Amino acid sequence: MSKKIAVIVGSLRKGSFSRQIANNLVGLFPSEYEPEFIEIGNLPLYNEDIDTPENVPAAYTEFRKQLKDVSGVLFVTPEYNRSVPGALKNAIDVGSRPYGANMWDGKPAAIVSVSPGAISGFGSNHHLRQSLVFLNMPTLQQPEAYLGNVTNILDENGKVSDKTIGFLQSIIDAYVDLLNRY
């Protein structure tokens, strides 16, 4: 029986660097894992006034249902203003509500931050970690996964170099070890 792994990309841009890196990562999982992209761009901004038993947005319900069935979550995200993109923070909020129904709870996570700059999305990676602590998500600590200068490691088809694929494989291998502990 395969284990489903949610892959959540923080950037909504169709051809984003984060999505290209995520596409490279999903093929590196062992066969008993089933990575599945869960889209976050259709989620209305979280608002407790519309998240009531008689009025839950269908997009919230579908997102929470998708999260319920996964064994872990791989986040691949850019950095916006030294933090996570608003769409990703919104998805975290939607998945953690209503109070007492945290769909993230106990699911092992890995974070890969991506940037065309040299700082490599360090700020977004660490801001996301703060939320994951509160959500009770055991998070991969090593290897740290900051991919800077991403335009230099992706070719015109969105594939990474052989040198980089080894690093990406080390991330997935360590993440699978974490998943196996839970």
Side-chain angles (χ1 to χ4, degrees), residues 16-181:
S16 76
F17 300 127
S18 295
R19 184 162 302 274
Q20 290 178 58
I21 293 297
N23 286 334
N24 282 273
L25 286 162
V26 297
L28 302 176
F29 278 93
S31 60
E32 63 269 21
Y33 290 89
E34 184 183 335
E36 176 181 303
F37 285 87
I38 297 180
E39 301 303 328
I40 62 174
N42 64 334
L43 295 171
L45 289 176
Y46 186 76
N47 180 342
E48 197 170 344
D49 289 342
I50 64 170
D51 192 18
T52 63
E54 45 297 316
N55 196 34
V56 179
Y60 286 10
T61 302
E62 179 59 26
F63 182 70
R64 291 167 178 159
K65 181 181 168 195
Q66 289 175 302
L67 287 178
K68 184 178 182 182
D69 295 335
V70 302
S71 299
V73 184
L74 171 63
F75 295 95
V76 184
T77 187
E79 178 174 294
Y80 291 0
N81 302 311
R82 299 284 188 257
S83 188
V84 296
L88 180 53
K89 179 59 169 82
N90 185 55
I92 288 168
D93 293 343
V94 169
S96 70
R97 302 284 196 286
Y99 183 79
N102 175 11
M103 291 295 123
W104 307 105
D105 188 38
K107 296 181 191 303
I111 303 168
V112 178
S113 56
V114 178
S115 173
I119 297 177
S120 313
F122 180 87
S124 66
N125 195 303
H126 284 265
H127 273 193
L128 183 52
R129 287 174 185 278
Q130 289 176 333
S131 293
L132 301 188
V133 167
F134 180 78
L135 297 172
N136 192 35
M137 296 181 79
T139 304
L140 180 66
Q141 301 301 313
Q142 294 292 327
E144 293 180 291
Y146 314 110
L147 296 177
N149 301 307
V150 71
T151 55
N152 296 335
I153 63 173
L154 288 166
D155 69 17
E156 64 278 355
N157 298 313
K159 300 292 183 198
V160 297
S161 67
D162 289 340
K163 180 181 174 185
T164 303
I165 206 76
F167 177 61
L168 296 184
Q169 186 67 64
S170 73
I171 295 164
I172 296 301
D173 291 347
Y175 182 45
V176 166
D177 287 346
L178 177 68
L179 287 161
N180 288 335
R181 285 184 263 155

